[in-house]
Amino acid sequence: MSIPDCTVRPSIARHGRFVAAIVIDSIGTGVFVPVSMLYFLATTSLTLVQVGAALTTAGLLALPVGPLVGGLVDRYGAKPVLQAANLAQALGFAGYLVVGQTWQIAICAWLNSAGRAVFFSCYGATVAALAAPGQRERWFGLMGSVRNLGYALGGLLSAVAVSFGTHGVYAAIVVVNALSYVTAFVLMRAVPNVRPAAGQDAAGGWGRVLRDRRYLSLVAHQLCFAISLFALNIAIPVYAVDVLGLPGWTAGAVFALNTLMVGFGQGIVVGWLSGRIRSRVLIAGHVCFAAGYLLFLAADRVSALALAVGVVLLGAGSYTFGEILGGPITSTVAAESAPDALRGRYLALNQLAVSVAGAVAPAALSGLLVTGAAAIWLTLVGVSVLGATLAATIGRVVPAAQSRIGGV
């Protein structure tokens, strides 16, 4: 991937094992997520409803885990907590090889869901510590690109594997996933464990975090942004294929377009944005989201099949620009707005907004889809307007949002 400013490369080279761990983690996730339901249906006697209930229960029970470990990150550093998350997910996937009951799936899925929650709660603190001043947007952009390309490669591998459809192939997918987390654990051993300097003020703990109104406005913005992110997996493909009646490959084309744009374009766009005020870029991201949603709504009014496909893909492109613009900036502002001594707790609260959006989005977006095209896309336009309003607010009250990208 081309990165306009090569000054970030030496920093990346120093922490190549961390980048490698993220690559391996994302490939493993990309391999399993598309076939998770198929795996349990193929390897157990459970019904679709039972499997779905087990996975949903696990996801809900994992919600409190991220905030609970925030204090551990502040005390011991992010590295050991990240490694514990890797081991938990390795154990969870190993358990998938022997599960046969709903409660067994729920326990193993909880280990994986909790591990993911812990990972993303620690991830921002680690990147913020490793990145040189003025390079955090580039680092978060690079990591976003790496994860997207890893997910895409994993998804391609899973598609090839599922074409065989045998029990042995499904088991191999799970084994590879478990080994990927063990490998990530080993690679993380070489990552520095940056902890707050002795004597830094961590007084107040969670009470201090929850009383920080400026940061709470940032968390509210993160919730709006995350809701839009979940539209890609939940609403857009179903709308294109089931509501508009477009060919099934349209959903795949939307995912491919999103993955390629983020994977290869995010680092370049962040370089182009150097010197721009962060909050204004966030507002532009929400505008791109809203434009994409309006294009999806317009596709419902188009009768010609080819034109409807084109409008949907154009909407997906606009939507993806919103993700590219906002992703690295939201992560950077969240990390830099947290005091060093309490960064674990602050970022855990910010990640909780993402987890809540992930828990609410499937039911909320599917319900809106059933109601009609106008209901879902105008509602999401409203979410984007609220997100842009919150971005403007934090641009006035949060110093990190007032800064320019790249520290210019």
Side-chain angles (χ1 to χ4, degrees):
M1 181 181 67
S2 174
I3 299 177
D5 186 351
C6 65
T7 58
V8 72
R9 290 177 182 168
S11 181
I12 293 171
R14 286 199 307 271
H15 305 297
R17 293 194 180 186
F18 175 70
V19 177
I22 299 300
V23 171
I24 293 170
D25 175 282
S26 59
I27 292 175
T29 301
V31 168
F32 186 74
V33 168
V35 301
S36 56
M37 296 294 288
L38 294 175
Y39 172 79
F40 293 118
L41 293 175
T43 59
T44 71
S45 60
L46 301 177
T47 65
L48 180 64
V49 172
Q50 289 173 313
V51 173
L55 296 178
T56 299
T57 299
L60 292 174
L61 291 177
L63 284 178
V65 174
L68 287 176
V69 302
L72 296 178
V73 174
D74 291 331
R75 172 170 290 189
Y76 301 108
K79 174 183 171 178
V81 183
L82 276 172
Q83 289 185 295
N86 286 330
L87 291 181
Q89 290 174 94
L91 181 60
F93 275 102
Y96 284 163
L97 295 171
V98 295
V99 297
Q101 302 296 320
T102 303
W103 65 269
Q104 294 171 334
I105 293 178
I107 290 174
C108 293
W110 179 83
L111 284 171
N112 288 320
S113 297
R116 296 305 291 171
V118 171
F119 173 86
F120 282 110
S121 294
C122 301
Y123 166 78
T126 303
V127 174
L130 297 182
Q135 293 294 333
R136 283 172 176 157
E137 290 95 351
R138 293 184 180 277
W139 261 89
F140 280 114
L142 172 70
M143 292 296 99
S145 298
V146 163
R147 291 206 315 271
N148 267 269
L149 293 175
Y151 295 153
L153 178 57
L156 179 62
L157 293 174
S158 71
V160 173
V162 170
S163 66
F164 293 95
T166 65
H167 188 287
V169 168
Y170 282 120
I173 290 175
V174 172
V175 170
V176 168
N177 222 315
L179 291 176
S180 74
Y181 288 112
V182 174
T183 304
F185 170 85
V186 174
L187 289 171
M188 284 295 297
R189 294 176 61 186
V191 176
N193 184 34
V194 180
R195 300 166 61 181
Q200 285 192 339
D201 183 16
W206 273 109
R208 178 178 167 187
V209 176
L210 296 175
R211 288 191 300 270
D212 190 338
R213 293 183 180 179
R214 292 189 298 182
Y215 201 84
L216 291 179
S217 65
L218 194 153
V219 173
H221 171 267
Q222 178 69 73
L223 179 63
C224 291
F225 189 79
I227 289 172
S228 283
L229 291 184
F230 283 106
L232 177 66
N233 292 323
I234 298 168
I236 297 175
V238 176
Y239 175 73
V241 176
D242 291 349
V243 177
L244 298 181
L246 301 180
W249 57 262
T250 307
V254 167
F255 282 116
L257 179 65
N258 176 269
T259 299
L260 292 173
M261 286 180 64
V262 175
F264 292 104
Q266 188 156 256
I268 297 172
V269 171
V270 170
W272 286 342
L273 292 172
S274 181
R276 304 297 196 279
I277 295 175
R278 289 168 174 170
S279 62
R280 294 179 183 176
V281 176
L282 291 177
I283 293 171
H286 288 290
V287 170
C288 289
F289 278 146
Y293 300 144
L294 291 175
L295 285 167
F296 293 141
L297 179 59
D300 190 42
R301 274 55 173 183
V302 176
S303 56
L305 180 63
L307 183 57
V309 171
V311 173
V312 167
L313 292 178
L314 185 61
S318 178
Y319 167 92
T320 302
F321 266 114
E323 179 181 350
I324 289 172
L325 291 173
I329 312 303
T330 55
S331 298
T332 301
V333 172
E336 292 188 354
S337 299
D340 289 345
L342 291 172
R343 182 167 284 151
R345 291 177 177 88
Y346 270 80
L347 292 184
L349 178 63
N350 193 60
Q351 179 59 33
L352 180 61
V354 180
S355 299
V356 169
V360 171
L365 295 180
S366 59
L368 288 168
L369 267 175
V370 171
T371 304
I376 183 167
W377 301 123
L378 292 181
T379 297
L380 286 172
V381 168
V383 171
S384 296
V385 171
L386 178 58
T389 302
L390 288 167
T393 299
I394 64 176
R396 291 192 299 269
V397 301
V398 178
Q402 299 166 354
S403 301
R404 296 180 182 273
I405 294 173
V408 177

